[in-house]
């Protein structure tokens, strides 16, 4: 898993709104990886959860 380490992430503050959005996307992606660490299973489940707003919100 390629999570952001505590050494890499000192603050959630960003210089611009765009950087803030990029950070939010990165953190949400890593949240999915933490929730389901196995890439093969994420790939198998993606067609189901990617079309279900409740599933996407729940994992976020």
């Amino acid at each position: 898993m390629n999570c952001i380490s505590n050494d890499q992430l000192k603050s959630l503050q960003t210089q611009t709104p765009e950087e803030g959005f990029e950070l939010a996307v990165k953190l949400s992606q890593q949240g999915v990886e933490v929730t389901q660490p196995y890439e093969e299973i994420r790939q198998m489940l993606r067609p189901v959860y990617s079309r279900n707003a409740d599933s996407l919100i729940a994992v976020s």
Side-chain angles (χ1 to χ4, degrees):
M1 183 176 352
N2 190 14
C3 287
I4 297 173
S5 72
N6 288 338
D7 293 334
Q8 293 172 305
L9 184 61
K10 299 291 186 192
S11 171
L12 295 177
Q13 293 180 331
T14 59
Q15 296 293 319
T16 67
E18 291 80 11
E19 286 178 1
F21 181 76
E22 289 173 11
L23 178 59
V25 168
K26 180 70 173 171
L27 291 173
S28 68
Q29 290 169 338
Q30 289 189 347
V32 171
E33 289 180 22
V34 168
T35 303
Q36 179 46 261
Y38 300 104
E39 175 69 21
E40 314 82 53
I41 295 174
R42 286 196 313 270
Q43 293 296 327
M44 182 181 65
L45 296 174
R46 183 169 286 148
V48 176
Y49 75 75
S50 67
R51 291 175 176 83
N52 184 321
D54 289 337
S55 294
L56 293 170
I57 291 167
V59 77
S60 295

